[in-house]
Structure formats: structure tokens, C-alpha cells
Amino acid sequence: MTNALDELVAGLSQPQKMISPKYFYDEAGSQLFEQITELPEYYLTDAELEIMRTHVDDMAALIGKQASLIEYGSGSSLKTRILLEHLDAIAAYVPVDISEEHLYASAQKIRHEFPDLAVHPVVADFTTPFALPTPAVMPVKNVVYFPGSTIGNFEHDAAVELLRVMHGEAGKRGALLIGVDLQKDPAIIDRAYNDSEGVTAAFNLNVLRHLNASHSADFDVDAFEHRAEYDEDKGRVVLELVSQKDQTFAIDATEFDIADGETILTEYSHKYTLEGFARMAHDAGFEVERVWMDPDELFSVQYCTRS
Ligand code: AVJ
């Protein structure tokens, strides 16, 4: 893996300047994302929680006894707790996250709430294969849990690649339980990424503050504006930062010019059709066995087995 500075410089040297969405999540960014999930316009979290609450017994039945639950992400969410409360004799809970601090803090909380649970956090970049810890109790199967429609951050080929890594981690009898946001009335999607309180704007702009604070950048944060547009043809929200004037900025020793109106791409958030996601899962070696949706069919949670 190349280091962060090289990666940032490479992204900002493209004709379409870009910064990976993973740089959103410093302390302030993680808090802003928390606030996003509580916004009335951000339907994703509410819909997914409702699905979990309504169908968790069904999910637990499919997962079965003594599974090892491998969560991609730090596992601080309420969705994870709902699942952990309902699973039968879990062999191990393995949260996997790149941020060590965040991961260990949330693992401690989970241990406190579930004293009988074997919690084995793994610090890793989950986009590449990593070694699973060996739990004391041999799991019947590995179930990869990937909530929140974070899969939507990845463009098609990278998403299939990531699903393939999960397929590998799941192993022979393994499965994948994944949150997948769905295509819908564009106005609903538009509102979710252009909230009236401006929290999403602050979240998007915070990436520049983060890079200034810890990656030797010198962005004039006030000279950029948030933009989020849903591209219905491509089925994805495009988040950008729009330069408000001709200006220059630097990352470490590398300088960049950006024109008035030129953008830095910060995130894609893909929305899927059921068929579209099933095809992607299939290309990664999975078969969609069950799909649960909220009553308005805004969001889905899908159980995939190895085909
Ligand atoms: C965490 C990637 C699922 O795409 O909706 C929320 C991130 N960006 N508002 C999403 C996000 C702007 C979120 N994911």
C-alpha cells in the first residue's frame, strides 16, 4: 500500500481532482457522520434500523448457531447490537477497521455490554485480504456483516473486488449480510445529501480541515462549497467540493492550481436496483438468498451465500 501523501497527491493530480472518502473520518468527521444519521432527511439509517428490528429473528435463523460474525467497520452501531442480541451462541465477534483507536474503543464497549461474547478486533484495511483470528470455539460458519450501504462508496469494479475479498473471508460455508441502498425517487435522495441544516455540507468540507490538520495541506476551507447531485443514469450521488475562485493549495511540498468552479470529487454513493446488486454479488461468487426491505422499499438488507 502506498502511503497517504502519495495517494492524496495522485488523486489531486488527476484531470478530475479527487480525495478518497476514507479521509472524511477523523474525529470531527466521525461525529458529523453521526449527526447525519440522525437527520430527518437521511433515510438510510432509519430504514436499515427498522429492517433490522423487524427481521432480526429471520436473519438469526439463517445465520444459525455458533457463527463467527465478522463486521467490516468498527461495529459501533445500534444495528450491530440488535444483531448480537439475537444471534444464537456466537463463536466470535470480529470487528475489522482501519482506525485502531476507534476500533478498540468500540470493542471495549461491546465487551462491556456482552460480557459472554468473544470479541476479537482486527486492525486492517478491509479492501485487501487479512488474517482472521482463531477463536476458542470453532465457528460453524463465518458471516461477514457490512451494514450502512458503505459498499456504495465503491465504483462497480472495486465493489465486486471488495465483495470477492468478503467471499474469501467468509470461507466455505460462509455468508454475507449486507446493507444496500436502493434506487428511488431522486428527490428523496437529493434531500438526504443536501440537508437543510447543512450537516452534510460541513461533513464534506471537513475533509479539507482534516487534511490541513494532519496531512500537511493548506486548503482555504472557506473558499470551497459543498455540492451533492444524484446522477439518475449512473444511479449514484456525486459529492464534490467546488472551488469559489481561482486559487492554489498544497499537499506537503506539492502545489496544485484549481480554477473558479472546478471541483474536487470526494465521494460516490451508489444506489442499486435489486437486479443490479444481485448481478454484482454473483460476479463475486455470491448468490442473494434473502432480501428484506422497509415498507417504503427505500433500503435493503441482503443475505448472500456462496454460489
Ligand atoms: C457511509 C458511505 C454509507 O453514502 O450515504 C453520508 C456517507 N456521505 N452523507 C453514504 C455519506 C454523505 C454514507 N456512507
Side-chain angles (χ1 to χ4, degrees):
M1 207 170 70
T2 58
N3 72 51
L5 277 179
D6 292 348
E7 185 190 61
L8 285 163
V9 168
L12 290 163
S13 304
Q14 304 293 314
Q16 168 65 71
K17 293 179 170 65
M18 51 183 108
I19 299 171
S20 162
K22 70 185 173 197
Y23 296 103
F24 282 139
Y25 301 97
D26 65 347
E27 194 52 41
S30 299
Q31 270 172 33
L32 284 164
F33 180 66
E34 274 294 312
Q35 281 186 48
I36 287 175
T37 65
E38 287 158 13
L39 292 169
E41 295 102 327
Y42 195 74
Y43 61 85
L44 290 83
T45 311
D46 288 341
E48 189 173 19
L49 265 173
E50 180 174 7
I51 296 166
M52 296 306 290
R53 289 199 174 105
T54 309
H55 299 290
V56 68
D57 288 328
D58 251 15
M59 296 174 193
L62 280 169
I63 291 170
K65 274 191 207 298
Q66 246 146 56
S68 181
L69 190 71
I70 302 155
E71 177 163 358
Y72 279 42
S74 71
S76 53
S77 80
L78 192 49
K79 296 161 252 178
T80 305
R81 289 175 165 74
I82 295 172
L83 200 54
L84 289 174
E85 274 165 19
H86 288 82
L87 290 182
D88 200 358
I90 313 176
Y93 170 59
V94 182
V96 183
D97 200 273
I98 197 157
S99 156
E100 177 166 342
E101 223 182 317
H102 199 61
L103 177 71
Y104 288 157
S106 63
Q108 267 319 96
K109 277 197 203 150
I110 295 276
R111 283 194 184 103
H112 193 76
E113 287 170 48
F114 301 89
D116 298 329
L117 184 64
V119 182
H120 300 295
V122 173
V123 180
D125 172 0
F126 59 56
T127 58
T128 51
F130 55 90
L132 286 173
T134 317
V137 178
M138 187 62 190
V140 171
K141 67 172 94 150
N142 292 326
V143 177
V144 172
Y145 183 45
F146 195 37
S149 203
T150 302
I151 188 71
N153 270 176
F154 298 85
E155 289 188 76
H156 178 273
D157 291 0
V160 171
E161 197 42 51
L162 178 55
L163 290 170
R164 253 195 217 115
V165 172
M166 295 177 174
H167 183 269
E169 298 295 340
K172 273 236 163 4
R173 280 180 300 273
L176 166 68
L177 185 67
I178 183 169
V180 177
D181 196 16
L182 301 174
Q183 293 183 9
K184 60 183 66 65
D185 176 358
I188 297 176
I189 298 175
D190 200 78
R191 275 198 295 273
Y193 294 84
N194 290 286
D195 65 277
S196 55
E197 290 169 51
V199 182
T200 309
F203 172 76
N204 195 7
L205 285 159
N206 178 67
V207 77
L208 302 182
R209 284 203 179 82
H210 176 205
L211 297 187
N212 285 351
S214 52
H215 292 78
S216 324
D218 69 349
F219 289 103
D220 178 0
V221 180
D222 294 333
F224 287 86
E225 259 180 28
H226 162 75
R227 179 191 287 165
E229 276 172 336
Y230 182 54
D231 179 338
E232 208 178 343
D233 292 331
K234 294 208 166 78
R236 67 189 182 193
V237 177
V238 182
L239 253 80
E240 295 171 302
L241 292 165
V242 189
S243 179
Q244 298 302 294
K245 59 181 186 190
D246 293 338
Q247 54 182 323
T248 59
F249 61 84
I251 303 275
D252 204 28
T254 313
E255 283 212 8
F256 299 89
D257 294 317
I258 187 163
D260 188 6
E262 190 182 340
T263 66
I264 301 173
L265 173 67
T266 50
E267 182 176 51
Y268 288 129
S269 185
H270 288 81
K271 313 299 170 193
Y272 303 92
T273 60
L274 293 180
E275 305 73 44
F277 183 76
R279 222 176 305 124
M280 257 178 27
H282 180 84
D283 290 346
F286 282 116
E287 200 160 359
V288 178
E289 202 174 304
R290 280 292 290 278
V291 178
W292 300 274
M293 288 183 282
D294 55 296
D296 296 327
E297 305 194 349
L298 298 175
F299 199 91
S300 68
V301 176
Q302 311 203 14
Y303 187 77
C304 310
T305 49
R306 299 194 10 149
S307 46

